[in-house]
Amino acid sequence: MERGEGTEPAGIPLGPVPALAHRPYAVGAGGRPTHTRWQGPAAAPGRWNGAGGVFPGAQHDGWSSSSKSSRRQASAARSCAMLAPDAGCGRDVVEDGVTACVFLASMRPRSLLRFISISDLQRQQCMPCCSHLTWSTNEFKEWAHQGQGALPMQSALPRTYLILVGYLTDGRQEDKEKLVDGCLYVKDNTGIIPCELLYFQLEWLDSLFLFPSWSYIPQTDQSATGYVEILVDPVPVNLPKEVPDSIPVTYPVSAELLLTSRIPCKKRSKLTVAGELARLGPLLCIHHKTFFFLFLKCFTSAVWVPVLVQKPNQLAWHHILQLGRSYTITGLSISSLKKSGQRMFVTGVSSCLLPYCAEQVREQPLDSALQGESTESSSLETAEQLSDSLELGVEEERPRSTKESKIISYVGTVTEILNVQAGLFLLDNKVCLCLAYQQLLNSARGLRPGACVELMDVHLLQKPLVSFPFIVLGACLSSTVVLKSFSRLSTPYQPPASSGNLYLQLLFRYNLDMPLYLWLVSLLETFEERFSCFFGRHRPLLRSTHRNTGAAEKFLVPLLQAVVPDREEARDIYNEILAKVHQCPLQKYMTLNPPCQAPSLSAVCRVAEQKSWEGFSPSQLLSPLEAQHMGTQELNRRLTWSYYTLSAGSFQPRLILLGVLRVSSRSSSLQLQDKSSTLPCVIAHKDGSPFTHTALLGSLLQVENYQLIVERFLQTDFPSWEHLENLEHVREKKNSVYVQFYFEDVQVLHTVEGQIQKCLRSGSSSSLRKKDDSSFTSELEAPEAKMLKLEDPKPDSHRDENCQGGQSSTGRTSCVSRLFLVTQKEGLMLRNYQLPGQKVGEGRELQRSFQATVLWLGRPQLWSHPRETGNLPELEESGCDGEESMTRQEALLLFMGKSLRWFPFLHLDGLYRFIVPCCSDLEVFDKLCFPPVPAKLLSRSSCPLCLPVQDTWHLQHEAWISCLTERQLAAMSVQTGMDQRISSIPEVLSNSFTGSLVSFSGEIVERTLCASPKNEKPSVTVSLQKQKGSLLASGHSVKLSVSVAPGSPVVMDVYIAATYLQHLWGLLPGAKILFQNLERKISRFHNVYCAYIASSCVSIISLPASHLPFPSSPAGEASSPSLVFLSSLQPHLQNLPQARILCHLSCVLTLSLQWVCSLCSSIFKEGAGGGRNG
């Protein structure tokens, strides 16, 4: 701990120091400290020199009074200086405090005892600590050892030698505007700090004390102050107040008659009621008014009366009152609630709380209680506001069995803080204490691991939630929670949020019972754990305002509205507190099976993998009629690759996907990500347009309608189809998981527009990297740019500067952008680009890359501050320089490194904008261009220049050609003229078709894994055996049978080498795909087919239907047709395009035999296979 010396105060002239009457800390019956007094050693007469004078008689062995003692005495004088200006008491009081401090200091001559002010304590002490001035080392060790009994893994509080002196107050005089919350504080003239005591007397308020044993517990958030735990009774300096000799009182039996009588309240005088404290309600704060209820019981019967305490100067009573003790309360009046008419006693400004003593009271007859000065009856505004603020319905009865909670008392030790924001604490490692239904106005101070609590009248709920592992003790408004002892461990303190606590907001807004509340807590805990690392803890996720709803609230509110029925009746807080027959939300409950779940992505992948292999048998992938004709090689190849489809309804309970949208520059695929893992995703639009929303990168998405695909890979050595049931022939099982969904089914919970602008100003792409986990992550890029405000480019049109990292003269937010149209896009693969400035070497590694041919539209633009624009100024000025100048605007964009993240967003016929942040050079694009081959080898001048896309550039989709206005299309007509033709499948299959590269769209009806033909091996750029990330050997190819529509007899076969497949997701039967730049080929037997080559590319137009007959299907079939009876076929003809008929064969009209090739599964014709190579 840091120690501050401070400056010596000026001398404080004091009178003779009297002897100190000191109070020890003996324990009486019931564990309550007694207050027997003993006389400490009388100090030698003398005077204190506050500037460093010597205290007479303070010489001890080994302690030089001229050095250490003088410093200690000066510290004591500084303590007096802290207290005297603010004390409002006489000189004797201060002198007694100084004497007490010096006496205790003299007991440890060799220790570094010093006074500590409250401000220094809060500023210097960052770790929990304790101070025991009168204890020996052995006593402290024994005390610390006993505290570690329940939690042996926790360390005890470290000991310091600090003297704390201050006044106990309720905070009323510190801040006129601050709400009095019933908490206690220790103050001096340097500051004030909250404190917790196990025992408190009312006469201690605003009195000066020395605290011989205390602990300081700072908050985990060091920006906020902690609090002080008073371990033993403080030493008061001034004498207690006098108690009146005789008080007339009314007992609860007579007082109840006053509450139930029909005599008008204004005719009744103020009463004094005495009785035993039967129940003590929690402190409540409603509409900035704090109050609590207490109940006094008759000494000889079970009759009790309620008392409402609501005056600020009386809230400290809550710390004094103890169940089972007897008290006398003066100055009570009778009031009633407006709506319910319930009557109760209410304290007034002059009310006093006194310990009951039979010798000091006399019973007041009921007749005299009915006489006296009239008092105006006031309805309980505070209580009425409590009802108005909680207009919550009561949950209706459900047809399921309802359990009745038991009301018990329990004493236990806090062993873990489960969730302080939700008010959940673990007792004795087996019982969960829920305090959410009470307001923790003291911010749960004292409830640290190791503290002992006593619970009275709490509800016992067994198994309220199926997935919750503990028995729950719920404290309602009629329960009492008493702190029996403080923790002796160095455990942290994290207070619950005083405002914006989403747990409690949703609890009271929807009047949740305990099972639903625990389910809500589990969802919120998982939500925060998964995504706080992306957006910062609490701030944007769990906090909501009236104008901006937080991400967690957007996620939870629709779920709660679905599971909680509409409520008509308001929650009656009065009945929970005042009713003779107890009623509260915890009284009845039903074990809840969660209606939905939102687990981490790693758990989603793990469960999906388990489901895909449950009950798996290789015989499921092939029909017996097909398998028995296959050779060994073909049989094992057909088993190599299959897939399994899951939906949200495949999980129990229903599974909701949550994730931050990212794109990996390594795999060039979109991904959902949380703290645990990543999940590749395929996003499509229901109208068939590609997904291009780059601004959504980094946003938090929620998806409830999706298809979770598990691609299964097997290595087998089955000798024949008869051994398919023997799993010993399965040598290896692997899988990969990804998800596909429509963008229209996505709910955006949180966007990062602020981060977009921040990244734009910084000029560097933000990415999330976890270098310690290379298996998951790597360069997952966030969005970087939004629409920008156009600037006048003329002042900087002739600047010659490098914009990659330089500052622009127009400001940090200045950017250069250029609009372009994508005319061709090639696939992602390994290429051997030679960029300018790089040395030519034979052993250069191939780089994964892709390229796109584009047309620049207009000139580069200079932009400034971000804002949205609705027009495309480049199109207004295009075509002005003539057709010849426009033809030279073609460019070949090269994407490598981090720029590979734009691969999923770049599509044909899309208008995009490149944005170069922190730049004002309009020639930045021209400076980076270079010819694709040396200039002397150029055969024509129209060859497009190559432009390597830089890592810091940002891509932004603007529009599609089909969405442009007629004027904009007219401006582009001069430039385009080279629209890529999209043919139909019948046209490509026609003998009159002459093109070699074709583009078409169609639906995949069958997917088959086959061997790559010897004459069509992949090129050297992609023929790496078992490329990293590929689960298929390079010797395989996949055949996609594509038709125009389901059931169409016209089918086109497309062959894709396995080395290309690691970047292609979603090629499943039932999906509609756009194929671009496929090579059209003709086999020896004049069968037309297409092959995927280096310049090819595919885009998913629509996803497979979610109602496929079977979720598990082999690689070669969309699924096995559903089995129906002939009698039931007629009503389902429209819904069953393919089906298996169960019927009896009655007549054979014709019969033909055909042979099937075991290599390519085609029908033999004229002695040869009918495959593509004849």
Side-chain angles (χ1 to χ4, degrees):
M1 185 189 70
E2 299 179 2
R3 299 181 181 274
E5 290 296 327
T7 58
E8 296 291 342
I12 303 177
L14 300 174
V17 180
L20 172 66
H22 185 68
R23 300 175 60 187
Y25 313 104
V27 179
R32 175 59 52 201
T34 60
H35 303 285
T36 56
R37 307 176 72 88
W38 64 282
Q39 299 293 328
R47 298 184 63 85
W48 185 288
N49 186 346
V54 178
F55 183 79
Q59 185 78 24
H60 294 273
D61 294 338
W63 182 12
S64 173
S65 61
S66 61
S67 56
K68 297 181 180 179
S69 177
S70 61
R71 288 196 299 269
R72 231 175 275 169
Q73 296 159 13
S75 178
R78 288 198 299 271
S79 179
C80 294
M82 293 187 299
L83 299 169
D86 192 52
C89 57
R91 176 184 299 177
D92 293 339
V93 173
V94 179
E95 291 172 352
D96 286 348
V98 172
T99 306
C101 297
V102 173
F103 165 71
L104 293 172
S106 65
M107 299 178 65
R108 285 200 173 273
R110 296 184 180 274
S111 62
L112 297 176
L113 271 171
R114 69 182 181 96
F115 284 93
I116 184 75
S117 66
I118 292 177
S119 61
D120 288 342
L121 182 65
Q122 294 171 330
R123 182 177 62 255
Q124 299 175 6
Q125 191 65 36
C126 301
M127 299 296 294
C129 66
C130 64
S131 178
H132 304 278
L133 300 182
T134 61
W135 289 8
S136 66
T137 302
N138 292 334
E139 290 173 335
F140 170 74
K141 288 182 178 180
E142 181 181 358
W143 175 83
H145 179 71
Q146 293 176 355
Q148 292 179 289
L151 297 171
M153 302 303 295
Q154 295 284 351
S155 59
L157 282 167
R159 185 178 187 181
T160 58
Y161 298 96
L162 300 174
I163 302 175
L164 181 64
V165 182
Y167 292 87
L168 279 176
T169 177
D170 57 4
R172 282 179 292 145
Q173 300 177 356
E174 304 308 317
D175 189 353
K176 300 293 184 181
E177 304 296 330
K178 182 182 178 181
L179 173 69
V180 178
D181 53 7
C183 297
L184 296 177
Y185 301 85
V186 177
K187 71 170 184 178
D188 59 17
N189 66 348
T190 68
I192 186 171
I193 188 172
C195 70
E196 292 293 323
L197 298 91
L198 300 179
Y199 177 73
F200 181 71
Q201 294 183 11
L202 190 60
E203 59 267 21
W204 292 0
L205 205 61
D206 296 326
S207 298
L208 176 64
F209 287 93
L210 168 72
F211 303 96
S213 293
W214 52 274
S215 301
Y216 174 67
I217 312 298
Q219 289 192 23
T220 53
D221 182 9
Q222 296 185 1
S223 61
T225 60
Y227 72 99
V228 172
E229 295 175 349
I230 308 302
L231 304 180
V232 297
D233 287 355
V235 180
V237 177
N238 47 345
L239 298 178
K241 301 176 182 179
E242 294 292 335
V243 178
D245 293 334
S246 180
I247 303 176
V249 300
T250 301
Y251 292 104
V253 174
S254 301
E256 187 189 28
L257 296 176
L258 297 177
L259 293 179
T260 57
S261 65
R262 296 181 179 274
I263 301 176
C265 297
K266 62 182 180 179
K267 294 182 179 180
R268 297 178 180 171
S269 62
K270 291 186 178 296
L271 303 176
T272 298
V273 179
E276 178 185 336
L277 184 65
R279 182 153 55 96
L280 178 64
L283 283 165
L284 298 175
C285 180
I286 306 296
H287 289 287
H288 306 290
K289 290 188 177 181
T290 307
F291 59 94
F292 68 91
F293 284 90
L294 62 91
F295 299 83
L296 294 179
K297 186 177 73 71
C298 184
F299 298 114
T300 58
S301 66
V303 177
W304 52 262
V305 292
V307 179
L308 173 64
V309 180
Q310 58 181 347
K311 300 302 180 182
N313 62 327
Q314 299 162 1
L315 296 179
W317 294 2
H318 200 270
H319 300 272
I320 304 169
L321 297 168
Q322 301 179 49
L323 293 180
R325 296 294 182 93
S326 301
Y327 298 96
T328 301
I329 304 179
T330 66
L332 296 179
S333 59
I334 299 177
S335 185
S336 61
L337 300 174
K338 288 182 179 179
K339 293 183 179 180
S340 63
Q342 291 175 297
R343 297 191 174 206
M344 66 199 67
F345 290 103
V346 182
T347 60
V349 178
S350 60
S351 298
C352 295
L353 175 67
L354 303 172
Y356 175 79
C357 182
E359 293 79 11
Q360 296 179 348
V361 300
R362 66 180 186 275
E363 183 174 2
Q364 183 180 14
L366 184 60
D367 294 339
S368 61
L370 297 177
Q371 301 173 359
E373 298 180 0
S374 63
T375 58
E376 183 178 357
S377 172
S378 60
S379 61
L380 295 183
E381 181 184 3
T382 300
E384 202 63 40
Q385 289 176 346
L386 172 63
S387 175
D388 296 338
S389 64
L390 296 176
E391 291 292 336
L392 305 175
V394 178
E395 185 174 357
E396 300 176 357
E397 291 291 333
R398 301 184 183 181
R400 294 179 297 167
S401 60
T402 302
K403 300 179 182 179
E404 190 85 18
S405 63
K406 298 180 181 179
I407 298 180
I408 66 170
S409 296
Y410 185 85
V411 178
T413 301
V414 179
T415 52
E416 184 181 350
I417 308 296
L418 296 178
N419 189 325
V420 69
Q421 305 299 330
L424 299 181
F425 304 85
L426 186 62
L427 304 181
D428 302 328
N429 290 318
K430 60 182 179 181
V431 178
C432 172
L433 170 62
C434 178
L435 299 178
Y437 293 84
Q438 292 186 349
Q439 288 183 329
L440 293 177
L441 294 188
N442 70 333
S443 301
R445 289 188 290 267
L447 292 178
R448 299 186 296 116
C452 180
V453 294
E454 181 180 2
L455 311 175
M456 287 159 281
D457 298 330
V458 293
H459 293 263
L460 173 65
L461 296 89
Q462 296 184 355
K463 206 66 176 177
L465 186 66
V466 172
S467 58
F468 197 70
F470 305 110
I471 297 174
V472 179
L473 295 179
C476 67
L477 296 180
S478 296
S479 305
T480 303
V481 180
V482 178
L483 191 63
K484 299 295 291 183
S485 64
F486 291 113
S487 173
R488 306 177 185 184
L489 305 175
S490 181
T491 50
Y493 165 65
Q494 180 184 356
S498 57
S499 62
N501 191 323
L502 189 59
Y503 294 95
L504 302 184
Q505 287 179 0
L506 297 179
L507 169 65
F508 292 111
R509 184 190 307 174
Y510 294 98
N511 192 16
L512 302 178
D513 57 11
M514 182 64 73
L516 282 175
Y517 180 65
L518 293 178
W519 176 60
L520 165 71
V521 171
S522 66
L523 288 178
L524 269 176
E525 287 178 341
T526 306
F527 189 89
E528 181 183 2
E529 179 184 1
R530 293 174 59 189
F531 303 112
S532 60
C533 59
F534 295 92
F535 307 104
R537 293 189 65 86
H538 302 295
R539 287 193 294 270
L541 294 181
L542 300 187
R543 291 188 178 179
S544 301
T545 60
H546 295 291
R547 297 182 179 180
N548 186 18
T549 304
E553 187 172 355
K554 288 182 181 178
F555 167 59
L556 291 170
V557 165
L559 300 180
L560 294 177
Q561 291 175 343
V563 299
V564 178
D566 296 332
R567 295 179 168 90
E568 298 179 358
E569 298 181 4
R571 178 182 175 184
D572 195 345
I573 300 297
Y574 313 128
N575 282 334
E576 294 184 26
I577 302 175
L578 302 174
K580 300 291 183 180
V581 179
H582 181 62
Q583 297 178 5
C584 77
L586 304 179
Q587 192 172 8
K588 297 180 180 180
Y589 70 100
M590 291 171 290
T591 300
L592 176 68
N593 288 310
C596 63
Q597 58 177 327
S600 63
L601 293 180
S602 61
V604 171
C605 295
R606 183 172 60 254
V607 174
E609 293 170 0
Q610 293 175 355
K611 284 182 173 291
S612 67
W613 296 112
E614 286 179 357
F616 171 77
S617 175
S619 60
Q620 300 172 350
L621 304 180
L622 299 172
S623 64
L625 293 177
E626 184 182 16
Q628 61 185 347
H629 297 293
M630 293 183 181
T632 301
Q633 184 178 5
E634 173 67 11
L635 177 66
N636 289 284
R637 184 187 305 115
R638 293 290 294 273
L639 298 175
T640 300
W641 188 23
S642 62
Y643 73 94
Y644 189 85
T645 303
L646 296 165
S647 63
S650 303
F651 302 89
Q652 293 299 327
R654 180 172 54 93
L655 193 147
I656 299 176
L657 283 180
L658 296 175
V660 177
L661 183 63
R662 301 276 179 168
V663 60
S664 171
S665 59
R666 292 189 179 181
S667 63
S668 301
S669 64
L670 292 172
Q671 297 179 344
L672 294 179
Q673 184 181 14
D674 63 5
K675 183 180 180 180
S676 65
S677 183
T678 60
L679 179 63
C681 61
V682 176
I683 307 178
H685 282 276
K686 292 184 177 180
D687 61 0
S689 61
F691 178 76
T692 57
H693 301 284
T694 56
L696 285 180
L697 286 175
S699 300
L700 181 57
L701 306 183
Q702 174 184 345
V703 189
E704 297 190 42
N705 189 13
Y706 56 85
Q707 295 175 357
L708 198 60
I709 311 298
V710 183
E711 298 278 7
R712 300 179 298 198
F713 302 90
L714 292 176
Q715 287 187 7
T716 60
D717 56 1
F718 289 100
S720 68
W721 67 277
E722 297 176 342
H723 299 80
L724 290 179
E725 299 296 335
N726 187 0
L727 298 182
E728 293 180 356
H729 295 283
V730 178
R731 300 305 180 190
E732 186 178 12
K733 294 193 303 184
K734 294 183 179 180
N735 49 255
S736 64
V737 184
Y738 66 94
V739 65
Q740 51 188 19
F741 51 85
Y742 286 108
F743 178 71
E744 288 77 6
D745 296 327
V746 172
Q747 182 181 2
V748 181
L749 299 179
H750 183 73
T751 57
V752 286
E753 294 185 2
Q755 295 183 12
I756 295 173
Q757 298 179 5
K758 180 179 179 181
C759 295
L760 194 60
R761 289 191 295 269
S762 64
S764 60
S765 65
S766 66
S767 62
L768 178 69
R769 297 186 181 93
K770 291 191 176 181
K771 298 182 180 179
D772 56 341
D773 188 2
S774 58
S775 61
F776 136 60
T777 91
S778 47
E779 302 180 4
L780 297 175
E781 307 298 337
E784 308 292 352
K786 290 286 280 184
M787 293 279 191
L788 303 174
K789 180 179 178 182
L790 189 62
E791 266 192 353
D792 184 9
K794 294 181 181 180
D796 291 319
S797 59
H798 301 289
R799 283 185 62 90
D800 183 12
E801 69 175 290
N802 186 359
C803 297
Q804 295 306 309
Q807 300 291 335
S808 65
S809 61
T810 56
R812 286 183 170 269
T813 57
S814 297
C815 304
V816 173
S817 73
R818 195 165 192 184
L819 190 70
F820 62 89
L821 170 69
V822 179
T823 60
Q824 182 179 347
K825 175 188 174 183
E826 298 187 3
L828 188 67
M829 63 184 59
L830 298 176
R831 292 183 173 88
N832 56 347
Y833 286 122
Q834 182 69 40
L835 300 180
Q838 292 183 350
K839 297 181 180 180
V840 179
E842 297 180 356
R844 296 181 65 252
E845 292 185 0
L846 301 178
Q847 299 185 63
R848 187 169 61 254
S849 61
F850 76 96
Q851 59 190 30
T853 304
V854 302
L855 287 175
W856 295 119
L857 302 180
R859 297 187 298 268
Q861 304 287 337
L862 185 64
W863 303 76
S864 62
H865 303 287
R867 76 171 181 88
E868 301 231 349
T869 58
N871 56 354
L872 297 172
E874 294 89 345
L875 297 183
E876 306 299 331
E877 58 188 37
S878 299
C880 302
D881 299 334
E883 182 177 354
E884 183 178 358
S885 62
M886 290 298 105
T887 57
R888 286 194 294 238
Q889 297 297 315
E890 188 177 5
L892 182 65
L893 303 181
L894 308 180
F895 294 83
M896 296 171 289
K898 289 185 179 181
S899 63
L900 291 177
R901 66 186 185 272
W902 305 123
F903 179 79
F905 300 99
L906 207 65
H907 297 282
L908 187 68
D909 291 338
L911 271 70
Y912 296 85
R913 187 186 302 278
F914 270 136
I915 300 176
V916 183
C918 298
C919 178
S920 59
D921 186 4
L922 297 177
E923 299 179 357
V924 58
F925 300 100
D926 297 333
K927 291 179 179 179
L928 294 175
C929 289
F930 66 93
V933 295
K936 61 181 180 179
L937 300 179
L938 288 177
S939 59
R940 53 179 181 172
S941 59
S942 61
C943 186
L945 295 178
C946 296
L947 175 63
V949 179
Q950 304 300 301
D951 293 343
T952 57
W953 292 4
H954 313 305
L955 182 70
Q956 179 176 293
H957 179 258
E958 295 288 350
W960 298 102
I961 291 182
S962 59
C963 299
L964 297 180
T965 63
E966 295 182 359
R967 180 178 179 182
Q968 292 171 333
L969 288 174
M972 292 181 57
S973 61
V974 180
Q975 306 172 18
T976 54
M978 53 176 297
D979 295 339
Q980 187 175 6
R981 174 175 171 77
I982 305 297
S983 305
S984 65
I985 292 179
E987 289 176 348
V988 177
L989 292 175
S990 173
N991 293 330
S992 60
F993 194 88
T994 58
S996 60
L997 295 180
V998 295
S999 299
F1000 60 90
S1001 63
E1003 181 176 323
I1004 300 176
V1005 296
E1006 188 177 354
R1007 188 180 79 172
T1008 307
L1009 192 66
C1010 56
S1012 296
K1014 297 181 180 180
N1015 60 340
E1016 290 188 10
K1017 287 186 177 181
S1019 61
V1020 67
T1021 59
V1022 292
S1023 62
L1024 300 177
Q1025 185 75 16
K1026 245 0 189 167
Q1027 292 187 55
K1028 184 179 180 181
S1030 176
L1031 297 177
L1032 290 175
S1034 59
H1036 289 149
S1037 293
V1038 63
K1039 182 182 75 171
L1040 302 177
S1041 298
V1042 184
S1043 66
V1044 178
S1048 174
V1050 182
V1051 177
M1052 167 72 74
D1053 290 336
V1054 177
Y1055 293 85
I1056 304 176
T1059 49
Y1060 296 120
L1061 291 175
Q1062 61 175 315
H1063 305 300
L1064 302 178
W1065 303 91
L1067 299 182
L1068 302 176
K1072 189 174 182 180
I1073 308 296
L1074 173 62
F1075 298 91
Q1076 303 174 31
N1077 296 328
L1078 297 181
E1079 184 180 8
R1080 182 179 182 270
K1081 293 189 175 184
I1082 303 176
S1083 68
R1084 290 184 299 173
F1085 289 88
H1086 307 288
N1087 294 321
V1088 178
Y1089 66 95
C1090 292
Y1092 189 98
I1093 60 176
S1095 61
S1096 303
C1097 190
V1098 298
S1099 300
I1100 297 179
I1101 299 177
S1102 64
L1103 304 177
S1106 58
H1107 55 274
L1108 288 177
F1110 289 97
S1112 178
S1113 62
E1117 298 180 4
S1119 63
S1120 300
S1122 56
L1123 182 64
V1124 297
F1125 291 94
L1126 193 61
S1127 60
S1128 60
L1129 179 62
Q1130 184 64 29
H1132 302 284
L1133 285 178
Q1134 296 180 352
N1135 298 328
L1136 291 174
Q1138 295 181 354
R1140 292 181 295 157
I1141 306 300
L1142 183 64
C1143 58
H1144 295 281
L1145 183 64
S1146 59
C1147 179
V1148 178
L1149 299 178
T1150 181
L1151 179 65
S1152 62
L1153 298 178
Q1154 293 178 333
W1155 299 95
V1156 178
C1157 178
S1158 61
L1159 296 178
C1160 62
S1161 300
S1162 60
I1163 300 174
F1164 271 69
K1165 295 179 180 180
E1166 299 180 1
R1172 54 188 173 127
N1173 297 309

